[in-house]
């Protein structure tokens, strides 16, 4: 989950909702117009965090008895395997893109994660041969997934700088940097503009938990389940 400390308590964005927001961002992009793999990239983007369910995982509380932010999570072999299998139930290309995402996240985290990421390479070669595509194509599509993931995380963590200062999102599929910024106090923009429409709106769901300490996972999960869902409208417009 994505945890931001505010003056009202912990603001929580659920991990799978972050994935949905990333998919909503991708759906607005012009990069995949008329692309035969658009649906696969969209699915992979939407489910790239689907093995993390806050109401089911254990160890969701940190050592200070607060909710554990996603940046505190480390490589988990079982979750990586489950993610690949979940991808395969959508399509072979979805699983292939998710394998690239696993490598992006964990290739250098530890010896165990590096070894696992390396072990994915023969499987990737096999899947690319079966799909009849080359690595450059997959890398371009994965760059789009990663870009949407990055922008979604910026929005979920409310990291837009004040006073119109620009924040780099990530490099797009053409290896060009893109920057998000507050255009007018209530409208965001991206430079250069990568979207099909000149303006659009996204909706972010979040929960506020006022308590700062939870004795165990069960108490936190109950509080999370019972908390009200809040909605934040995020408007984008071209410069």
């Amino acid at each position: 989950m994505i945890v931001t400390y505010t003056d009202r308590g912990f603001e929580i964005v659920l991990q799978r909702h972050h994935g949905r927001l990333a998919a909503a961002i991708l759906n607005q992009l012009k990069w995949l117009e008329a692309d035969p793999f658009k649906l696969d990239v969209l699915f992979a983007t939407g489910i790239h965090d689907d093995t993390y369910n806050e109401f089911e995982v254990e160890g969701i509380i940190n050592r200070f008895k607060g909710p554990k932010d996603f940046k505190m999570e480390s490589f988990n072999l079982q979750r990586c395997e489950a993610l690949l299998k979940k991808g395969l139930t959508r399509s072979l290309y979805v699983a292939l893109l998710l394998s690239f995402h696993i490598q992006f996240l964990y290739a250098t985290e530890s010896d165990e994660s590096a070894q696992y990421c390396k072990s994915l390479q023969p499987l990737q070669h096999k899947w690319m041969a079966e799909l009849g595509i080359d690595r450059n194509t997959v890398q371009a599509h994965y760059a789009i997934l990663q870009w949407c993931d990055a922008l979604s995380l910026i929005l979920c963590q409310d990291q837009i700088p004040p006073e119109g200062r620009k924040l780099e999102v990530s490099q797009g599929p053409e290896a060009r940097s893109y920057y998000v910024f507050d255009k007018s106090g209530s409208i965001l923009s991206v430079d250069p503009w990568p979207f099909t429409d000149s303006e659009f709106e996204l909706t972010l769901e979040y929960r506020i938990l006022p308590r700062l300490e939870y004795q165990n996972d069960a108490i936190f999960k109950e509080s999370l389940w019972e908390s009200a869902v809040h909605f934040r409208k995020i408007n984008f417009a071209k410069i």
Side-chain angles (χ1 to χ4, degrees), residues 15-49:
Q15 206 78 14
R16 293 184 178 189
H17 180 70
H18 147 64
R20 181 193 181 279
L21 182 63
I25 292 167
L26 185 146
N27 195 47
Q28 296 288 342
L29 289 170
K30 61 185 178 183
W31 292 331
L32 289 170
E33 287 181 321
D35 191 307
F37 290 108
K38 178 178 180 176
L39 190 59
D40 298 278
V41 184
L42 183 65
F43 267 116
T45 303
I47 71 169
H48 75 272
D49 268 337

Side-chain angles (χ1 to χ4, degrees), residues 78-168:
Q78 288 71 34
R79 284 185 194 162
C80 290
E81 290 284 278
L83 183 62
L84 288 181
K85 291 175 182 177
K86 185 179 286 289
L88 278 171
T89 64
R90 299 303 201 284
S91 76
L92 186 59
Y93 198 42
V94 169
L96 180 58
L97 289 168
L98 293 175
S99 73
F100 273 58
H101 187 58
I102 290 169
Q103 290 176 327
F104 173 79
L105 293 176
Y106 303 119
T108 60
E109 182 181 294
S110 65
D111 290 342
E112 179 190 11
S113 65
Q115 184 177 358
Y116 176 72
C117 289
K118 187 176 181 180
S119 74
L120 293 176
Q121 292 175 2
L123 191 60
Q124 290 173 337
H125 291 313
K126 176 178 178 291
W127 287 348
M128 284 188 285
E130 292 174 353
L131 287 162
I133 57 176
D134 59 29
R135 192 172 188 85
N136 289 338
T137 300
V138 186
Q139 287 177 328
H141 284 145
Y142 176 69
I144 297 173
L145 185 159
Q146 197 273 324
W147 192 91
C148 296
D149 181 28
L151 181 54
S152 176
L153 286 173
I154 289 171
L155 299 176
C156 289
Q157 296 175 97
D158 196 20
Q159 291 182 330
I160 304 297
E163 300 176 359
R165 293 195 295 271
K166 294 183 177 181
L167 176 66
E168 184 175 11

Side-chain angles (χ1 to χ4, degrees), residues 7-24:
D7 57 4
R8 294 184 294 169
F10 292 115
E11 182 176 302
I12 308 289
V13 178
L14 302 186
Q15 206 78 14
R16 293 184 178 189
H17 180 70
H18 147 64
R20 181 193 181 279
L21 182 63

